[in-house]
Amino acid sequence: GLHLGLLSALPAAAFHSPTLLVARPQRCTHATVPKKPSALASDPFKTSLSLNKRSLTMMKSEAKSGGSSIRGKISVAGGVLIHLVLGTIYCWANFLSYAPQGLLFFDGLSHVGKTPDAVQVMGLALVFQGVGLRIGAGLNKKLGERSTAIIGCGLVVLGTFLSSYVNSLAPFLISYSVLTGLGVGIGYSAPMAAGWSWFPKNKGTVNGITLFGFGAGTLVFNPLSTSLAQSGVAWAPMLRKLALVYAAVSAVGISLIKKKPAPETTGAGAPAELSGATAKEALRRKRFYVLWLLGFLAFMPG
């Protein structure tokens, strides 16, 4: 998650080799000394960082041109906070270390040397995350980005909180994998869509900055859950405390995101609303299956 967030922050030009400019041969009467290659040209990582800084600079100038630099940045910052909470879906590997015996196997018994059935919690959560992504896209259009983020984060908080009262694996899959997975999917695109409205020419940069929060979710909340568990906090109270923290961080992030108001134009001057392909049209295109396969392979490490 963190790697995807950082990579998506880099502009597309960072993944292509620099174009070599060849000058026309000219006559000269004196010897020329070849120029020493710059540090940026010899170091691809520095080149990527330089291009990313240019993209951020363009992002700033774009916001200033519309007189909304500060508000746009605040909205993107709110998206990072929201994705910090959504990214906690990847904390399950750490949670599993402290899960009670009754949640490890479907029969609730101990099976020494056997892989716990609870490893399926993460896989099922990712399945419902994919379902939630489709739902969230529709809710963004009908309810708006902020309301969609409330629903998504609310399901993550509710799923985590209700799971603290479950003592067997089967109902835990419903409370945690289904509810939390749906919440992550529903709330995933809302903060990015709000950020795009402020920086329409820098959607990749907005995605990268926002998804940094998604990847950093485990970086922030894994140490917190570990600290609670190792300090003597039992499993159920730990989940409840985490749910309260999720709710607080979500509330701050949701209060910060806002879609840029559309310009008030009517008649012939009104901007045309762009519409994408329908579900049936997408299923008939090869690109859909290529993207599906890429997503399948990308989520395998989860």
Side-chain angles (χ1 to χ4, degrees):
L2 181 57
H3 293 160
L4 290 173
L6 293 175
L7 286 175
S8 61
L10 298 177
F15 299 97
H16 299 279
S17 59
T19 304
L20 298 179
L21 300 177
V22 181
R24 294 180 179 178
Q26 298 180 354
R27 295 181 180 180
C28 58
T29 57
H30 59 280
T32 58
V33 179
K35 294 183 179 180
K36 184 179 179 180
S38 64
L40 288 178
S42 60
D43 191 334
F45 182 70
K46 290 183 178 180
T47 303
S48 298
L49 290 178
S50 176
L51 291 171
N52 194 34
K53 289 179 180 178
R54 291 184 191 176
S55 183
L56 288 172
T57 301
M58 291 174 61
M59 184 174 171
K60 293 178 181 178
S61 62
E62 182 181 75
K64 289 180 180 179
S65 64
S68 54
S69 174
I70 296 178
R71 190 62 189 89
K73 292 175 185 177
I74 290 175
S75 182
V76 174
V80 174
L81 293 178
I82 290 173
H83 269 265
L84 274 177
V85 175
L86 301 183
T88 59
I89 189 174
Y90 287 102
C91 289
W92 174 247
N94 187 54
F95 291 171
L96 187 58
S97 304
Y98 308 105
Q101 185 65 48
L103 292 180
L104 296 182
F105 295 93
F106 284 109
D107 58 11
L109 302 177
S110 176
H111 300 276
V112 179
K114 186 178 178 181
T115 301
D117 296 328
V119 297
Q120 300 178 29
V121 169
M122 185 64 188
L124 187 61
L126 291 178
V127 169
F128 278 92
Q129 179 187 345
V131 175
L133 285 169
R134 178 66 184 88
I135 298 173
L139 291 178
N140 282 336
K141 296 180 180 180
K142 293 182 179 180
L143 304 179
E145 288 74 16
R146 179 172 288 177
S147 296
T148 303
I150 291 174
I151 295 173
C153 292
L155 286 174
V156 173
V157 173
L158 180 63
T160 304
F161 188 81
L162 292 180
S163 296
S164 67
Y165 293 97
V166 176
N167 298 317
S168 57
L169 182 56
F172 187 86
L173 289 172
I174 298 175
S175 62
Y176 192 85
S177 298
V178 176
L179 288 180
T180 302
L182 279 175
V184 173
I186 290 173
Y188 191 90
S189 62
M192 290 185 286
W196 297 340
S197 67
W198 297 98
F199 308 104
K201 296 181 181 179
N202 291 277
K203 292 183 178 180
T205 303
V206 171
N207 286 358
I209 295 174
T210 305
L211 291 178
F212 171 81
F214 191 76
T218 55
L219 187 67
V220 173
F221 289 103
N222 267 348
L224 176 59
S225 60
T226 298
S227 176
L228 290 171
Q230 293 181 352
S231 64
V233 179
W235 170 258
M238 181 189 76
L239 289 183
R240 291 168 201 156
K241 290 179 183 292
L242 288 174
L244 291 176
V245 176
Y246 296 167
V249 176
S250 298
V252 176
I254 291 169
S255 68
L256 296 180
I257 67 168
K258 180 181 180 181
K259 187 174 183 179
K260 185 177 181 179
E264 296 182 1
T265 54
T266 58
E273 184 178 352
L274 297 178
S275 60
T278 64
K280 291 183 179 180
E281 291 172 342
L283 290 173
R284 292 196 295 264
R285 297 179 182 180
K286 184 186 297 184
R287 181 182 300 178
F288 169 82
Y289 297 98
V290 173
L291 292 174
W292 187 93
L293 180 60
L294 289 175
F296 176 79
L297 296 175
F299 279 109
M300 284 179 65

